[in-house]
Amino acid sequence: MREIVFDTETTGLDPKTGDRMVEIGCVELVNLVPTGATYHAYFNPERDMPAGAEAVHGLSSIFLADKPRFRDTASALLDFIADSPLIAHNAGFDFAFLNAELTLCALECVCTSRMVDTVAMAKKKHPGAKLSLDALCTRYGIDRSHRVKHGALLDAELLAQVYVELKGGRQIGLELASETAPVAVAASIVRKAPEGRRRDPRPHAASAEELARHGAFVGAMNAPLWGT
């Protein structure tokens, strides 16, 4: 099964008030295993970058000025995600921005039936616990030491690991036997012992002297339990 884990960075919190998507990162999973295939792009939002947003992801208006507009690369993104389920953390946020950009390009929106929200998954699996990406990485022992600021591709890569853990971890889907061809088991090879003189068995019985010493030792005991 092919799935896409993705994350976005934006100029703010609400595309309805003019905020735009400035970065997207996607990671491909097949049967919950990263294939190494990714999609990553920055976009010129054609507007200013608020200081609060820049503090989160570090993407300035100057950095984004020479980047392509979303409509210039939308087809490559759509080709990558194809019709696969899309996994995101607080997925409603990312879907809102993705579909807002597609709408501005007069392209068909991505159906929310494809949406998988890892926040909802984590809330169900760990009720009452912290649900941020950082908190879940800590819970599952996922190294995030290189995450200084938010970044769409880096966060998608971390989220992919979290998603696998939320789905049951690395032991999920033990279907190798059904997915691989039967393996022929070689017949055991019986090897004969080399010919030669058999060694006489070693004596194991106690000698008369040993029995006498043992009797004297037991006789010196004061009311042993086995004698009652």
Side-chain angles (χ1 to χ4, degrees):
M1 179 180 179
R2 183 179 190 263
E3 299 171 292
I4 301 297
V5 181
F6 81 107
D7 184 63
T8 63
E9 299 300 337
T10 68
T11 65
L13 301 177
D14 191 352
K16 294 179 181 178
T17 60
D19 283 317
R20 301 288 301 274
M21 183 165 66
V22 295
E23 184 186 11
I24 190 167
C26 304
V27 173
E28 180 185 64
L29 301 179
V30 174
N31 295 332
L32 296 178
V33 177
T35 65
T38 62
Y39 178 88
H40 179 232
Y42 295 107
F43 309 111
N44 183 342
E46 302 178 287
R47 54 152 293 170
D48 65 302
M49 177 63 70
E54 184 176 342
V56 172
H57 48 59
L59 303 177
S60 66
S61 297
I62 295 174
F63 173 80
L64 297 169
D66 62 348
K67 301 301 182 287
R69 297 166 297 182
F70 179 86
R71 59 179 174 270
D72 298 327
T73 60
S75 59
L77 170 62
L78 294 175
D79 287 344
F80 184 84
I81 65 175
D83 59 355
S84 301
L86 300 177
I87 298 105
H89 204 58
N90 191 20
F93 176 90
D94 298 282
F95 263 71
F97 273 93
L98 175 58
N99 282 334
E101 294 293 341
L102 292 171
T103 298
L104 290 173
C105 302
L107 295 171
E108 183 178 357
C109 290
V110 176
C111 182
T112 54
S113 63
R114 296 167 57 184
M115 181 172 71
V116 179
D117 186 4
T118 49
V119 169
M121 292 176 66
K123 186 179 295 185
K124 184 176 181 179
K125 191 166 185 177
H126 307 295
K130 294 182 178 180
L131 304 177
S132 69
L133 181 58
D134 282 342
L136 290 170
C137 285
T138 299
R139 171 180 287 274
Y140 290 122
I142 297 168
D143 181 18
R144 55 180 176 82
S145 58
H146 50 310
R147 187 183 190 236
V148 179
K149 289 184 179 290
H150 289 219
L153 184 58
L154 172 59
D155 286 0
E157 290 170 340
L158 293 173
L159 183 59
Q161 297 179 66
V162 168
Y163 177 64
V164 171
E165 296 295 340
L166 290 172
K167 292 286 285 185
R170 292 170 180 81
Q171 296 185 15
I172 191 170
L174 298 178
E175 302 166 352
L176 295 179
S178 62
E179 293 181 358
T180 58
V183 178
V185 180
S188 299
I189 300 175
V190 179
R191 298 185 183 275
K192 293 183 178 181
E195 296 294 335
R197 185 180 68 83
R198 290 182 176 276
R199 187 174 63 180
D200 294 333
R202 291 176 296 177
H204 293 285
S207 66
E209 182 184 354
E210 289 171 333
L211 289 173
R213 289 204 306 267
H214 178 70
F217 173 76
V218 172
M221 291 183 176
N222 183 18
L225 292 177
W226 57 83
T228 58

